Amino acid sequence: MLVLGMMSGTSADGIDIALARILGAPPNVNAKLLGHSSVKFPEALRKEILRVAEQHPISAGALSQLNFRLGELFADAAMAACRKFRVSPRRISLIGSHGQTIFHQGRRVPFFGAPTASTLQIGESSVIAARTRITTVGDFRPADMALGGQGAPLVPYADYLLYRHEKLSRVSLNLGGIANVTVLPRACKPQQVLAFDTGPANMLIDALVSHFTHGRQRFDKNAQLAMQGRSNPAFLDELLRDPYLRIGPPKSTGREYYGHSYVKKILALSRRYRAKPNDLIRAATIFTALSVVDALNRFVLRKTKIDQLIVSGGGARNPLILAQLSAALPGIEVLPSSRLGIPEDAKEAFAFALLAYETFHRRPSNLPSATGARGPAILGKIAYAPPH
């Protein structure tokens, strides 16, 4: 099958699209990335997505409108990708769309008399299927959560198929808005895979850059601002006392925790430590790297010797993060995912193409060892293309 995978992450920068050719069935799924592209959201719409994701009020009507409007944008992105890849939409068998997360509560909390966990991704799949005339799988997370899982991370299934090695133990690290790891001991079976969100990645850095540049810059290209900042060990130690880092896996997090209120807390702390803007951006960048290192030391390296750390996501282009990881993890080769055939910006979209392929064939693709679910789940909901 030719499958399009589509993903918009917690940073809400836009839509990443990957075209994959996939055949076979586990454990012999053969997946090849044929192309990838990305489309930015209009700035006003991005601001509204971030506003809603920060839990600011929205009416039921406006949320419904936003869901359908994003469905149209995802459909437009799919058609634009087909034109770029020079492939007719009629040749595409399937779309896997993660949608846009605007709420994720992976652990159960009291709600109207019962402990409840929930997640909400928007970008209406039926609209995508109707506009593209391609059957679309969306809403991947709830099936895992219905079995007691956190509904995240889901990319470990793709990591397992892509990076499992008979002789090397590997960790796949994705640095999107949030940082997450997939631990793949050598020659591991699916039930031996460990995966979890380690903490923030680009989310904090981007928020601080946007704050200090009054929106003129959305991210710290090549860590230029962070490199101009001075180290502040006492401030960094304060950040590393974050309670989330001590919670054992399975665990997942997002903008609900590391969003606007967390940034406000950091800005308040910076006054106590007299940190200047670039000092703060440097601290957030190093905190991203060291929270990953902390997670590996705390939950992984005591049990499993790791040979390689494979880095993907936007943070893989941040030289300060990569330098910190290399320095703090001696004996582990740190390499970008592009060295193994998957460009850093394409992996998550590629993963949702794989997940959609498995769903279409009625096969489970969560890893209960990663999410904490009671068992395997067939993920997602299928919106069929209209009849010709």
Side-chain angles (χ1 to χ4, degrees):
M1 291 176 106
L2 285 180
V3 185
L4 278 181
M6 298 200 292
M7 168 81 190
S8 177
T10 45
S11 296
D13 289 327
I15 304 163
D16 292 322
I17 310 107
L19 175 64
R21 182 190 290 117
I22 313 175
L23 62 143
N28 298 310
V29 174
N30 187 303
K32 183 172 187 214
L33 180 70
L34 302 181
H36 71 101
S37 66
S38 61
V39 177
K40 290 209 175 302
F41 286 133
E43 188 55 31
L45 185 69
R46 178 179 186 259
K47 283 181 177 169
E48 178 63 2
I49 291 167
L50 293 177
R51 192 189 73 81
V52 175
E54 294 280 4
Q55 306 311 300
H56 292 291
I58 184 170
S59 69
L63 183 57
S64 177
Q65 291 285 86
L66 190 59
N67 178 38
F68 272 66
R69 182 73 194 100
L70 281 177
E72 297 278 1
L73 287 176
F74 273 81
D76 289 345
M79 298 304 278
C82 287
R83 289 191 294 275
K84 179 179 177 181
F85 304 146
R86 295 183 178 175
V87 58
S88 165
R90 291 182 184 180
R91 289 185 55 213
I92 307 287
S93 303
L94 195 61
I95 291 173
S97 174
H98 171 266
Q100 176 66 57
T101 298
I102 57 165
F103 184 75
H104 184 77
Q105 174 62 53
R107 288 178 179 268
R108 294 181 169 212
V109 295
F111 186 76
F112 280 93
T116 304
S118 71
T119 192
L120 185 59
Q121 285 74 43
I122 59 174
E124 182 53 55
S125 299
S126 293
V127 172
I128 301 170
R131 298 290 176 271
T132 61
R133 306 193 78 83
I134 302 167
T135 293
T136 301
V137 184
D139 214 13
F140 288 87
R141 299 189 186 278
D144 180 84
M145 295 183 78
L147 288 173
Q150 297 235 345
L154 296 182
V155 172
Y157 181 79
D159 287 330
Y160 177 76
L161 293 176
L162 288 169
Y163 299 137
R164 177 189 178 274
H165 197 281
E166 284 297 318
K167 295 181 178 172
L168 296 174
S169 289
R170 290 169 158 172
V171 171
S172 173
L173 167 63
N174 188 73
L175 295 169
I178 294 294
N180 49 65
V181 291
T182 304
V183 183
L184 301 158
R186 65 184 174 83
C188 60
K189 295 185 167 52
Q191 59 270 27
Q192 294 172 301
V193 176
L194 174 69
F196 57 96
D197 291 348
T198 62
N202 303 317
M203 187 182 289
L204 284 187
I205 304 165
D206 293 354
L208 290 169
V209 169
S210 181
H211 173 79
F212 289 125
T213 65
H214 305 287
R216 287 190 301 275
Q217 286 177 240
R218 279 175 30 179
F219 66 99
D220 186 13
K221 187 174 182 180
N222 296 323
Q224 287 170 344
L225 299 175
M227 298 283 204
Q228 293 167 31
R230 289 182 310 160
S231 293
N232 191 323
F235 181 54
L236 193 57
D237 284 346
E238 185 86 45
L239 293 180
L240 286 165
R241 285 197 276 273
D242 180 357
Y244 178 79
L245 305 188
R246 295 194 293 274
I247 298 170
K251 62 176 180 174
S252 57
T253 188
R255 194 166 287 282
E256 302 73 30
Y257 185 81
Y258 286 112
H260 184 64
S261 59
Y262 199 91
V263 173
K264 274 175 71 175
K265 188 171 86 175
I266 286 181
L267 291 170
L269 269 177
S270 72
R271 288 190 282 277
R272 190 197 309 170
Y273 290 96
R274 297 180 180 177
K276 293 177 179 171
N278 286 346
D279 303 345
L280 215 53
I281 293 166
R282 182 183 184 88
T285 304
I286 295 173
F287 174 49
T288 291
L290 293 188
S291 57
V292 171
V293 172
D294 179 83
L296 294 178
N297 284 327
R298 206 184 284 260
F299 305 118
V300 178
L301 293 172
R302 291 174 191 173
K303 302 173 194 166
T304 308
K305 180 186 178 294
I306 300 300
D307 301 298
Q308 290 181 327
L309 181 70
I310 303 160
V311 190
S312 61
R317 292 193 303 275
N318 186 306
L320 185 54
I321 292 178
L322 294 185
Q324 287 290 322
L325 289 170
S326 296
L329 296 168
I332 298 175
E333 183 187 10
V334 177
L335 67 160
S337 62
S338 53
R339 288 258 300 275
L340 297 174
I342 304 292
E344 288 77 33
D345 291 337
K347 197 190 79 173
E348 287 200 295
F350 182 63
F352 281 95
L354 271 169
L355 294 176
Y357 175 84
E358 290 299 273
T359 297
F360 189 81
H361 290 95
R362 301 185 184 183
R363 293 192 291 258
S365 55
N366 66 330
L367 291 181
S369 60
T371 65
R374 288 189 293 276
I378 300 172
L379 303 177
K381 296 163 189 171
I382 301 178
Y384 289 99
H388 287 290

